[in-house]
């Protein structure tokens, strides 16, 4: 290395080691003080390189106009792609699509019409999601961009409108998790198997609301192609993470080179026709710049969680039914002869050309037993296929893979989300069983709430469609000595694991010593705790933010209560929903009686990971429609928390309160000594208990029917920037104030 290069590296090296996530956010933040290096927990003004909106572009446009804005801050930031409800040819939907297209044309925004592809796939294949940058989308599966080394994370509609108007929105750097892969991926095991296994093996919210960085040796990462990485990153959403990013390595660079070469060839062909221009993003010059200015995590960067998975020990996995946290090795399911009614090779997760080819190979291999004739899908099964984009379908057609599946009896659908989100043709009916290569199998997500949905790789979906039951192809052969998947905490290196164990024992010793000292101090100085306001650290309350919030607790005892349960997907794109109608359907996929039970000023308390799933803003606004002023949970999905802040719905995490309520209102299976419960467990329980949150004192108290305190807990101070948004009535009003200032 030259002396100039060494000097340059010294000048640009951070004083504090940063993760890849922290570095990328730092690159895309506005107004940072000189010398400030972002870390977990820091708030920042994030200006993403790209923002994609889809069918919700028109609702975002309405919010944008409600802000008083008339001009897009930077139209180069924006991408619009119609993909969710593309099968809906009703006049109202077509009108919305026309409005979005006209808005994009007026503001010179890159626009992709219905049928061109799913927005996330377009972001990747058209080079909008670029390594080392931030790309966001008003959709929960924007995590997918991490497959190409781009920090992808969801924003909500109000965030999107704010970015349109100002170029930025607020962001808090989340907790960091490092997931190390060891070994290499065996033949017949796919990227989908990796993420399905991870969701099932680490199913205790280990990475909830974390930013994940995947790592491994060069040999290990060589066994995970980019298409598999996209699948993995896509489904980190279901794992509970805010992002899932792969390093910028030789595998990615080769993939980008291929994309740039293809773009150059198409341009050369166009030049011959006299109508070509260079691709604006997929160029070798841009790849050269990426190679010359690499970005990676610093040695010594701090992660709050470290996990590992040995890929060499992995086998095909199936998720479900109706939960990604239930993951079972395929061989364990095959013997159960689970009959299926529908199979799906659809969605942004697994319907690229490589996935379609893998599914077609299942039928081609089976054709060896039928004298070369492609066998048909089982008589009682409907097999639906939809490419991630028109470009991916063209590639699949060029390899005759698409035609092979159609010849086998697959039912083609236009490129779009469709049945993955329960829209259009082919959704699951009552008591039907489906297996899909998509990303989400929440109850009622892909159709009726009384249906069962499993998730798997394209190969397993195809084999199951062929045989009419959950099964797999012959590509994978389980080793004779196989004894299970190796996984756990740490990085999988036994030498470092041993050192970490010693370090943990040392830290535990220090912790115990500190407790002994603390106990001695209390004995000497006394253990009284000040309860008078004069001796407490009080939170400053900004004008417009309530000093106290109180109401009766309505207890919905469920963990992982997702946004589909809070606000059913079939209403998500009905833009004419009234507040009264939203209140009526709120929580209906969880408890159809909820709207008749809840009362104004009730405090909703639920279990852990409340509001996981999609980024739909209505999950928060529907709760507000019921006039609930506060939601309490053991923990929240981060996107729901973001939606809540943006829409002026306060939330609190109180895991011990949830545990207390579960003791007072046990499930039938939780009664002592196996005795029958005195009454049936209610999904939504009016408890008769009153909760009071004293915001100034940062104190939560719960009172029983005799007005005796049964729970008291100090909580974190409400940050001024969050108070500011809620006091303004939400981020929309806060940005409206800023836009008004800019125009005066």
């Amino acid at each position: 290395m030259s002396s100039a290069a060494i000097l340059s590296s010294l000048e640009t090296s951070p004083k504090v080691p940063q993760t890849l996530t922290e570095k990328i956010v730092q690159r895309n933040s506005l107004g940072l003080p000189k010398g400030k290096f972002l870390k977990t927990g820091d708030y920042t003004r994030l200006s993403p390189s790209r923002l994609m909106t889809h069918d919700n572009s028109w609702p975002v446009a309405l919010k944008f106009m409600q802000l008083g804005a008339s001009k897009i801050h930077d139209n180069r930031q924006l991408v619009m792609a119609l993909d969710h409800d593309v099968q809906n040819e009703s006049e109202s939907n077509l009108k919305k699509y026309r409005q979005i297209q006209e808005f994009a044309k007026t503001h010179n925004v890159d626009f992709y019409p219905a049928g061109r592809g799913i927005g996330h796939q377009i972001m990747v294949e058209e080079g909008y999601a670029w390594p080392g940058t931030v790309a966001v989308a008003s959709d929960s599966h924007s995590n997918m961009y991490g497959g190409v080394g781009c920090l992808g994370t969801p924003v909500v509609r109000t965030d999107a409108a704010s970015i349109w108007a100002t170029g930025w929105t607020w962001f808090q750097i989340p907790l960091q998790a490092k997931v190390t892969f060891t070994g290499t991926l065996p033949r017949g095991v796919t990227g989908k198997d990796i993420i399905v296994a991870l969701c099932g093996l680490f199913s205790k919210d280990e990475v909830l609301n974390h930013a994940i960085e995947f790592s491994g040796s060069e040999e290990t990462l060589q066994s995970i192609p980019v298409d598999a990485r996209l699948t993995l990153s896509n489904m980190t959403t279901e794992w509970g993470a805010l992002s899932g990013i792969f390093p910028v390595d030789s595998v990615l660079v080769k993939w980008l080179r291929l994309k740039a070469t293809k773009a150059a060839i198409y341009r050369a062909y166009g030049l011959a026709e006299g109508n070509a221009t260079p691709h604006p993003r997929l160029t070798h010059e841009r790849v050269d710049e990426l190679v010359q200015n690499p970005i990676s995590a610093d040695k010594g960067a701090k992660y709050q969680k470290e996990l590992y998975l040995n890929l060499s020990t992995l086998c095909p996995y199936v998720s479900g039914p109706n939960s990604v946290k239930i993951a079972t090795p395929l061989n364990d399911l095959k013997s159960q002869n689970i009959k299926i009614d529908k199979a799906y090779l659809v969605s942004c997760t697994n319907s690229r050309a490589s996935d379609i080819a893998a599914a077609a190979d299942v039928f081609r291999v089976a054709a060896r037993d039928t004298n070369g004739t492609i066998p048909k899908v089982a008589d009682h099964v409907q097999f639906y296929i939809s490419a991630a984009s028109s470009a991916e379908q063209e590639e699949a057609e060029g390899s005759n893979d698409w035609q092979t599946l159609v010849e086998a009896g697959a039912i083609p659908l236009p490129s779009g989300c469709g049945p993955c989100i329960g829209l259009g043709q082919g959704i699951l009916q009552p008591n039907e069983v489906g297996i899909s290569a998509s990303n989400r199998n929440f109850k009622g997500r892909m159709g009726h709430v009384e249906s069962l949905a499993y998730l798997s790789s394209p190969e397993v979906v195809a084999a199951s469609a062929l045989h009419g039951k959950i099964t797999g192809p012959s590509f994978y052969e389980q080793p004779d000595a196989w004894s299970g998947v190796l996984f756990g905490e740490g990085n999988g290196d036994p030498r470092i694991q041993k050192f970490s164990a010693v370090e943990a024992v040392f830290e535990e010793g220090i912790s115990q010593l500190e407790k002994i000292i603390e106990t001695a101090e209390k004995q000497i100085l006394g253990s009284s705790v000040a309860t008078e306001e004069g001796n407490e650290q009080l939170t400053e309350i900004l004008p417009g933010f309530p000093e106290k919030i109180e109401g009766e607790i309505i207890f919905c005892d469920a963990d992982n209560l997702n946004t589909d349960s809070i606000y059913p997907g079939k209403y998500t794109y009905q833009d004419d929903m009234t507040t009264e109608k939203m209140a009526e359907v709120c929580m209906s996929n969880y408890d159809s009686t909820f709207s008749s039970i809840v009362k104004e000023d009730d405090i909703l308390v639920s279990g852990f990971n409340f509001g996981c799933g999609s980024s739909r803003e209505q999950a928060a606004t529907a709760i507000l429609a019921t006039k609930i002023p506060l939601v309490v949970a053991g923990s929240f999905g981060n996107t729901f928390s973001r939606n809540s802040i943006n829409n002026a719905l306060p939330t609190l995490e109180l895991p011990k309160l949830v545990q207390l309520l579960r003791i007072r209102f046990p499930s039938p299976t939780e009664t002592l000594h196996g005795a029958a419960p005195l009454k049936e467990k209610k999904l939504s329980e009016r408890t008769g208990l009153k909760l009071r949150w004293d915001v100034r004192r940062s104190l939560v108290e719960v009172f029983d029917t005799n007005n005796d305190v049964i729970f008291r807990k100090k909580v974190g101070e409400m940050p001024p920037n969050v108070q500011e948004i809620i006091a303004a009535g939400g981020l929309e009003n806060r940005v409206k104030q800023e836009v008004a200032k800019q125009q005066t």
Side-chain angles (χ1 to χ4, degrees):
M1 180 182 285
S2 67
S3 57
I6 294 173
L7 180 60
S8 174
S9 68
L10 290 173
E11 289 174 346
T12 57
S13 295
K15 296 178 182 178
V16 179
Q18 287 181 301
T19 66
L20 178 58
T21 299
E22 290 164 348
K23 281 188 172 184
I24 294 175
V25 173
Q26 177 115 10
R27 279 186 174 185
N28 287 265
S29 290
L30 302 176
L32 290 178
K34 186 177 181 180
K36 170 68 176 176
F37 291 95
L38 292 174
K39 62 183 185 303
T40 291
D42 285 343
Y43 284 89
T44 186
R45 283 193 171 195
L46 182 70
S47 180
S49 300
R50 303 289 179 180
L51 160 64
M52 189 273 289
T53 55
H54 45 66
D55 292 30
N56 56 24
S57 297
W58 186 242
V60 173
L62 294 176
K63 281 183 175 290
F64 170 77
M65 290 182 277
Q66 289 165 6
L67 295 174
S70 57
K71 182 181 178 182
I72 298 292
H73 178 81
D74 181 1
N75 59 5
R76 294 171 299 176
Q77 271 185 307
L78 310 189
V79 180
M80 297 182 185
L82 304 181
D83 59 7
H84 271 53
D85 205 9
V86 297
Q87 297 179 47
N88 183 355
E89 296 186 353
S90 67
E91 178 52 35
S92 61
N93 193 56
L94 294 178
K95 178 183 177 182
K96 179 172 70 174
Y97 279 9
R98 288 194 298 269
Q99 289 171 320
I100 294 170
Q101 184 171 8
E102 185 59 34
F103 186 92
K105 182 179 180 181
T106 299
H107 294 276
N108 197 26
V109 172
D110 287 2
F111 172 79
Y112 295 85
R116 172 59 180 83
I118 301 173
H120 299 308
Q121 177 63 28
I122 288 171
M123 289 286 285
V124 170
E125 72 183 33
E126 288 293 334
Y128 294 108
W130 192 256
T133 69
V134 176
V136 299
S138 56
D139 186 277
S140 59
H141 287 108
S142 46
N143 293 28
M144 180 173 126
Y145 313 147
V148 291
C150 170
L151 183 62
T153 194
V155 295
V156 296
R157 296 180 183 186
T158 305
D159 289 315
S162 171
I163 294 169
W164 287 13
T166 66
W168 64 271
T169 190
W170 67 274
F171 186 75
Q172 183 183 25
I173 296 186
L175 297 170
Q176 312 275 304
K178 185 177 183 180
V179 177
T180 301
F181 295 129
T182 62
T184 56
L185 206 57
R187 181 175 180 270
V189 182
T190 70
K192 186 59 160 285
D193 297 310
I194 299 175
I195 189 59
V196 168
L198 286 172
C199 290
L201 297 173
F202 299 101
S203 60
K204 307 299 182 186
D205 296 336
E206 287 90 342
V207 296
L208 180 63
N209 298 334
H210 284 61
I212 295 173
E213 294 182 12
F214 294 111
S215 68
S217 68
E218 183 177 356
E219 181 185 15
T220 295
L221 293 177
Q222 287 280 352
S223 74
I224 311 175
V226 169
D227 279 4
R229 298 179 183 194
L230 292 170
T231 299
L232 262 161
S233 293
N234 182 294
M235 276 192 66
T236 56
T237 302
E238 280 64 43
W239 199 13
L242 288 178
S243 60
I245 190 170
F246 276 84
V248 181
D249 63 356
S250 60
V251 174
L252 176 60
V253 170
K254 288 177 183 177
W255 184 85
L256 290 169
R257 290 287 187 202
L258 178 61
K259 291 290 183 183
T261 298
K262 285 183 176 180
I265 291 172
Y266 291 144
R267 182 190 177 228
Y269 177 80
L271 283 172
E273 301 294 318
N275 59 359
T277 57
H279 195 286
R281 292 166 298 278
L282 293 172
T283 65
H284 283 289
E285 290 78 11
R286 202 175 181 203
V287 179
D288 290 340
E289 183 181 350
L290 181 67
V291 173
Q292 292 163 9
N293 299 280
I295 182 170
S296 61
D298 292 321
K299 185 177 181 180
K302 186 175 181 180
Y303 298 89
Q304 286 69 46
K305 183 78 67 174
E306 291 199 40
L307 306 171
Y308 77 90
L309 176 68
N310 187 322
L311 299 185
S312 296
T313 67
L314 195 61
C315 62
Y317 262 78
V318 176
S319 168
N322 292 1
S323 173
V324 295
K325 293 195 172 188
I326 303 171
T328 308
L330 174 63
N331 284 346
D332 293 350
L333 281 184
K334 286 166 66 173
S335 60
Q336 298 180 27
N337 290 316
I338 301 172
K339 181 181 177 182
I340 67 166
D341 301 286
K342 291 187 171 82
Y344 305 90
L345 180 52
V346 300
S347 88
C348 53
T349 315
N350 270 125
S351 59
R352 283 170 280 279
S354 60
D355 301 312
I356 296 166
D361 283 345
V362 172
F363 286 89
R364 291 194 184 106
V365 170
R368 296 171 185 171
D369 298 327
T370 56
N371 297 319
T373 302
I374 297 297
K376 297 295 183 182
V377 170
D379 290 340
H380 65 278
V381 174
Q382 292 175 317
F383 181 24
Y384 295 93
I385 59 173
S386 171
S389 71
S390 57
E392 293 294 317
Q393 181 171 333
E394 287 175 9
E395 185 174 338
E397 289 172 343
S399 303
N400 204 42
D401 297 320
W402 185 266
Q403 296 90 323
T404 297
L405 294 179
V406 172
E407 184 181 347
I411 303 167
L413 297 174
S415 181
C417 302
C420 176
I421 52 169
L423 293 174
Q425 183 182 357
I427 62 176
L428 290 171
Q429 301 302 313
N431 302 314
E432 285 190 334
V433 177
I435 187 165
S436 177
S438 53
N439 46 37
R440 190 167 285 166
N441 59 349
F442 298 154
K443 181 180 178 181
R445 161 85 174 180
M446 296 185 67
H448 200 274
V449 293
E450 297 300 325
S451 62
L452 296 178
Y454 294 84
L455 303 177
S456 70
S457 68
E459 293 91 330
V460 170
V461 167
S464 300
L466 175 61
H467 296 286
K469 62 181 182 179
I470 295 180
T471 188
S474 58
F475 304 155
Y476 171 74
E477 294 181 4
Q478 185 170 293
D480 293 335
W482 188 80
S483 58
V485 180
L486 295 180
F487 67 98
E489 294 189 359
N491 69 354
D493 187 327
R495 296 166 300 174
I496 297 178
Q497 295 289 95
K498 184 176 181 180
F499 174 79
S500 298
V502 172
E503 191 177 46
V505 170
F506 177 75
E507 289 179 353
E508 177 63 22
I510 294 295
S511 177
Q512 290 180 6
L513 182 60
E514 288 175 343
K515 288 179 181 178
I516 292 171
I517 294 171
E518 182 181 349
T519 301
E521 287 177 341
K522 286 182 178 179
Q523 290 173 347
I524 297 170
L525 303 174
S527 58
S528 60
V529 178
T531 57
E532 297 297 321
E533 276 203 5
N535 296 327
E536 285 185 305
Q537 185 71 37
L538 301 180
T539 300
E540 181 182 355
I541 305 298
L542 298 184
F545 196 89
E547 291 194 13
K548 293 181 180 179
I549 299 175
E550 57 186 313
E552 182 180 346
I553 292 175
I554 182 168
F555 186 37
C556 296
D557 186 9
D559 293 336
N560 305 303
L561 214 160
N562 57 68
T563 51
D564 285 271
S565 298
I566 301 168
Y567 191 79
K570 61 185 177 182
Y571 301 113
T572 304
Y573 299 101
Q574 293 185 21
D575 299 326
D576 57 352
M577 292 285 286
T578 63
T579 301
E580 293 74 20
K581 182 64 176 176
M582 292 182 75
E584 180 184 327
V585 304
C586 181
M587 305 288 284
S588 59
N589 265 358
Y590 164 71
D591 180 3
S592 60
T593 68
F594 181 83
S595 62
S596 64
I597 296 172
V598 68
K599 297 179 181 178
E600 185 174 347
D601 291 330
D602 280 344
I603 306 296
L604 174 60
V605 180
S606 191
F608 294 81
N609 200 18
F610 182 87
C612 58
S614 75
S615 61
R616 68 191 59 159
E617 199 163 40
Q618 298 97 321
T621 55
I623 292 173
L624 283 168
T626 67
K627 300 184 178 179
I628 287 174
L630 171 68
V631 179
V632 177
S635 60
F636 290 94
N638 187 274
T639 304
F640 178 85
S641 295
R642 187 175 190 87
N643 269 323
S644 298
I645 292 171
N646 284 351
N647 287 280
L649 173 63
T651 60
L652 284 174
E653 289 192 355
L654 292 171
K656 290 186 177 180
L657 176 59
V658 174
Q659 293 165 0
L660 173 65
L661 293 176
R662 285 177 170 171
I663 293 171
R664 282 189 164 245
F665 304 96
S667 297
T669 56
E670 296 171 347
T671 53
L672 296 176
H673 310 301
L678 297 177
K679 60 180 181 178
E680 184 180 350
K681 176 74 174 181
K682 297 178 181 177
L683 292 174
S684 305
E685 179 94 42
R686 295 203 65 82
T687 63
L689 306 176
K690 185 174 76 172
L691 182 147
R692 178 191 298 153
W693 176 23
D694 188 327
V695 182
R696 183 178 294 278
R697 298 176 63 196
S698 302
L699 179 67
V700 172
E701 295 176 303
V702 176
F703 304 85
D704 64 13
T705 52
N706 296 320
N707 210 33
D708 293 326
V709 177
I710 62 170
F711 178 87
R712 179 181 282 117
K713 177 70 176 177
K714 278 282 190 179
V715 294
E717 293 185 12
M718 177 59 64
N721 57 339
V722 176
Q723 279 193 54
E724 185 180 56
I725 293 171
I726 293 177
L731 181 63
E732 182 178 326
N733 289 339
R734 176 68 187 87
V735 175
K736 188 182 295 184
Q737 295 168 0
E738 182 162 330
V739 170
K741 288 180 182 178
Q742 292 174 353
Q743 294 178 349
T744 57

